[in-house]
Amino acid sequence: ERLFVVSHSNITQRRLAEEQARHLALHDPLTGLANRRYFDRFRNSEMRRAIRDRSTISLVLVDVDHFKEYNDELGHPAGDRCLVEIGRVLLAFSRRPGDLAARIGGDEFALVLGSTGIEESQAIADAIRRAVSDLGLVFGGSQQVTVSVGAASVVPDDHAAEKFLLDEADRALYRAKSAGRGRVVHAQAVTDGKA
């Protein structure tokens, strides 16, 4: 006579907890956007895809102008709401599988745009700047929250690594801030709200 023992356990709760832990490890808890770890991983993957496809990849870096003053004057809850609203703006421009909106630092955001050339990434960067301005977030009586935006595009090869794209976008962001903030710099092109 043979006997069999069957054990059955419900692992739904464990699976849900694992999925939640995985999500928390890759996303910013405040904005819900991808965090720096996920951003780096995704950027690397998109860069490899662009090399294979010989397509253009673009990177848009966004920095909130005078965020410290905004946060100091209105408090941390208002500062958090500001970051969440700006995160929503970026998420609206991350529509395709090759796109990713991320919060990569305190008041720094990034948007990876796979298969996106210089003209389209310039238009998206300008639209982000305008959309943040349209939020109407004000401090200091009448000073409006703006963003400085640096963007870069590249058709990568084995020698044009992802660090090159990040460095170029970072230099463009620095130029946008140095030129007076509230601007977009893509390569040598500068656009501000008055132009």
Side-chain angles (χ1 to χ4, degrees):
E1 185 175 317
R2 292 183 178 180
L3 298 174
F4 295 95
V5 176
V6 176
S7 175
H8 179 39
S9 62
N10 185 348
I11 60 169
T12 303
Q13 292 300 321
R14 186 177 83 213
R15 283 254 167 93
L16 289 173
E18 289 170 357
E19 283 297 317
Q20 184 178 17
R22 202 171 296 121
H23 180 81
L24 290 173
L26 298 175
H27 291 82
D28 173 55
L30 178 64
T31 63
L33 298 179
N35 64 15
R36 182 64 185 246
R37 177 183 297 136
Y38 189 9
F39 165 74
D40 288 339
R41 188 183 298 174
F42 185 89
R43 190 180 80 237
N44 179 276
S45 174
E46 276 305 300
M47 183 67 75
R48 287 193 317 268
R49 187 173 70 81
I51 291 169
R52 279 192 314 272
D53 297 346
R54 301 197 51 79
S55 63
T56 306
I57 182 172
S58 295
L59 177 61
V60 177
L61 297 181
V62 178
D63 189 78
V64 183
D65 298 323
H66 305 292
F67 182 71
K68 182 181 181 334
E69 290 90 339
Y70 182 91
N71 207 34
D72 288 349
E73 180 183 325
L74 300 176
H76 293 292
D80 287 352
R81 284 191 300 277
C82 173
L83 295 174
V84 167
E85 289 300 314
I86 292 171
R88 285 186 184 138
V89 167
L90 264 76
L91 193 57
F93 291 95
S94 176
R95 299 181 185 118
R96 303 167 307 163
D99 300 342
L100 179 76
R103 181 178 177 207
I104 58 172
D107 61 345
E108 297 172 21
F109 297 85
L111 182 61
V112 176
L113 298 167
S115 300
T116 304
I118 188 168
E119 294 85 11
E120 188 179 356
S121 64
Q122 175 74 39
I124 290 170
D126 281 332
I128 289 169
R129 183 194 50 76
R130 285 190 309 273
V132 169
S133 183
D134 290 347
L135 291 173
L137 300 170
V138 178
F139 67 103
S142 62
Q143 189 165 350
Q144 190 160 334
V145 171
T146 60
V147 291
S148 294
V149 184
S153 301
V154 67
V155 178
D157 58 27
D158 292 333
H159 303 292
E162 63 189 275
K163 184 172 178 351
F164 171 80
L165 182 64
L166 183 60
D167 289 347
E168 287 299 305
D170 194 50
R171 278 192 277 279
L173 176 61
Y174 178 79
R175 288 195 308 268
K177 292 186 93 54
S178 296
R181 294 186 166 91
R183 303 172 187 280
V184 173
V185 173
H186 195 304
Q188 298 301 320
V190 178
T191 304
D192 63 25
K194 301 171 188 104

